[in-house]
Amino acid sequence: GYTDLEKEKIARHFLVPKQMKTHGLTESMADFRDEAVQSIIDYYTREAGVRQLEREIAAVCRKIAREVSGKRQRKTIVVNREKLRSLLGPPKFQPHYAETAPEVGVATGLAWTEVGGELLPVETMTMPGKGNLLLTGKLGDVMQESAKAALSIIRSRAEQYGTPKDFQSNLDIHVHIPEGAIPKDGPSAGVALICSMISALSGRPVSQDVAMTGEITLRGKVLKIGGLKEKVLAAHRAKIARVILPEENRDDLEDIPQEARESIQFILVKTVDEVVEQALLGPSGAKATSPPTRARKMPRRMPSHPRANS
């Protein structure tokens, strides 16, 4: 996976010149602005690599070549955001950004997909009932089991987390993960699920500058997860300031691009209690005062030669 800045550099230095040459275009025929490249990355592709980015650039060059060939007097065609819409049509995707204000019952998880990492918002609400747990959003079996484990932990520590002691006898809990058309599964959503549920039950909002990933056990431990690089890059694209992840993934941070490591504060945790302390705001809206566990400073690495995923 690449950061957006890496994708932009690959496009400007390799993909755009290559496709312009392939389609017989010169700089006097087409002026490919940086803002157009960034718009293609943001609104017309959703991937970890650059294959689709190259396809979209090729489509732009092909249409410009057709437009140029039909004119007797050649005038440089400026490819900017406005021109891009007329060439590629309406945006295919909308960038995912974190919510700007803390909300009760809403936590931001991180998921791995075939096209890279994605934000995984988890919503929980309570209603009068008899302790039923309702799960919606096309969740797989593993994620449903994580939600049940989260509920068991909360019930065993109700007083500690500030949730009603008898909530299981007079409240139903509905957990929903939006974009239900997309199947979602895996144990790494455990920490986001339990934060969302505790928030809804206790009335404490979840800080929206933090995203999280980690598997949970019934003993409240947070276990190592996979796909960390893709998940962190998703948080980086969404301008997330802090990422909570398992302590066991500490060494995996060396694989994170320098640009993402410098802009994100990593909070390494071993237990669910630490996650709750860092992610949930107090009754007055003040953040937890205990200092987070910071990842060790990673050494700078020599930049590798850009190449598309195969």
Side-chain angles (χ1 to χ4, degrees), residues 4 41-47 92-100 108-111 113 115-121 177-180 182 184 208 211 231-241:
D4 283 358
I41 294 171
D42 289 341
Y43 299 105
Y44 294 91
T45 64
R46 182 164 290 178
E47 59 180 347
K92 298 176 182 178
F93 306 101
Q94 291 296 328
H96 286 175
Y97 295 108
E99 300 291 338
T100 57
T108 302
L110 295 169
T113 72
V115 295
E118 293 285 348
L119 296 190
L120 188 73
I177 298 182
E179 298 188 48
I182 303 173
K184 294 168 282 287
Q208 292 303 310
K231 293 174 182 179
V232 170
L233 290 180
H236 178 65
R237 288 194 302 271
K239 315 300 182 186
I240 297 288

